[in-house]
Amino acid sequence: MSEATVGFAGMTHLGLVSAVAAAEKGFDVVCYDDDLGAIERLGRGDLPVAEPDLADLIARNRDRLHLTAKLDDLRQCDVLYVAPDVPTDGDGLSDLGPVSALIERVAPAMAEGAVLVILSQVPPGFTRAIAGKVSRDVSRDVSRFGAHLFYQVETLIFGRALERALEPERFIIGCADPAQPLPAALAGYLDAYGAPVLPMGYESAELAKISINMCLIGAIAVANSMAELCEHIGADWSEITPALRLDARIGEHAYIAPGLGLAGGNLERDLATVIALGDAAGTDLGVVRAWQANSRHRRFWALGVLHDHVLGKATDAVVAILGLAYKQDTDSVRNSPALALISALGPYRLRAYDPEVAVNADWHPDLAQAHDALDALAGADAVVVMTPWPEFTALSAADIDKALRGRAVIDPYGVLDGGACVAAGLDYFCLGARPRVPNAGDKE
């Protein structure tokens, strides 16, 4: 067992996954949340997020994970990470109040000499402001941390959170003085992961996280723009993608799969942050605003296909929606394109299925919960695959054709066998390619 005790305050997605990864690496871990109910639910195995392998790793490391709602238990931590998820509003603006409030609560409970690390994503200037903060209540003074306050860039990806937490590419650490060595407890903890450590100033680390996401957004915007062009000129983006992945300047892991705009909240937040910073500084951010506009434009691709090929022909149309989460392997619906589509289909009857997300009656006045994918398709005029869950790949064209009343298959991510769908007489629509509409007549 590793000597240092590591704590994580805030048992939401980021904090919980990070704590489990630390336990898997052999550390004793204090899992703190000031919500006693949340701690009790965790103790019963009622997890706040859906993440592959998370329940199994919690069970395997139960002896190392110490769940608590008691501030006094934080005194045993050599390193304490403040790691609650940062909520965002519909415009991508962050609410940093909960992070600040949590720091105010946990900092005084820590032992002298312990290291405090902010893991939640915060904008440039936040960590330095915390480093210099002195509360009116002297006992809650957090300025005493000084060189013992750090910011660490989080690398959480919904659906791949444990993979990223256990095998990080590198650690980006914001420091009051990056020329000074890291405290032994923090350095020892990071060393257990075997990844490069990049110390830098607070503001550089805070902006590094945003810069990484800006590069991802740029690639996504290129993919979406060029894929849309493919749909109109007869090119096929799926044929172009392999050429890009073999280009060393772009690479095999590049974000070049077309999608339905940005979703999940994190990338949208960074667009909003960069625009706010740029406006304050008077810099030219036209390209960033263009990325934002491109994302909003592509979000309603499926709605456009529905209007052009289904809804204009059937005023009583029933639409089947497969997938509600904003991406596979998560139960998060934050900024989900599926929910945006549901909201835009107000006059129509909808049937939906997602393996992790239950239908919410507040989303739509006529939205039915289906038991499985084929149940959602039963009697529908069109099916729209809004989340590329692997289980949907098992749907055969024959079963889809049999279940549907109409023949429109809208499959943005290419989850289904498009060729088989067309051969079965179905109209098939996929991002980055021309519609594939067979010559067969309408279904009776």
Side-chain angles (χ1 to χ4, degrees), residues 122-128 151 201-210:
V122 296
F126 181 91
T127 307
R128 192 169 299 280
Y151 170 72
Y202 289 143
E203 291 81 4
S204 295
E206 290 161 337
L207 196 60
K209 168 64 176 178
I210 296 173

Side-chain angles (χ1 to χ4, degrees), residues 397-398 401 419-426 438 440 443:
D401 180 55
C421 287
V422 175
L426 298 166
K443 292 178 68 175

Side-chain angles (χ1 to χ4, degrees), residues 378-400:
D381 296 279
V383 56
V384 189
V385 183
M386 293 299 288
T387 312
W389 284 101
E391 73 175 70
F392 298 154
T393 63
L395 290 172
S396 72
D399 286 341
I400 294 170

Side-chain angles (χ1 to χ4, degrees), residues 352-379:
Y353 168 72
D354 186 288
E356 288 289 349
V357 181
V359 163
N360 186 323
D362 293 335
W363 293 342
H364 189 280
D366 196 352
L367 173 62
Q369 172 77 63
H371 302 299
D372 55 36
L374 284 178
D375 182 42
L377 270 59

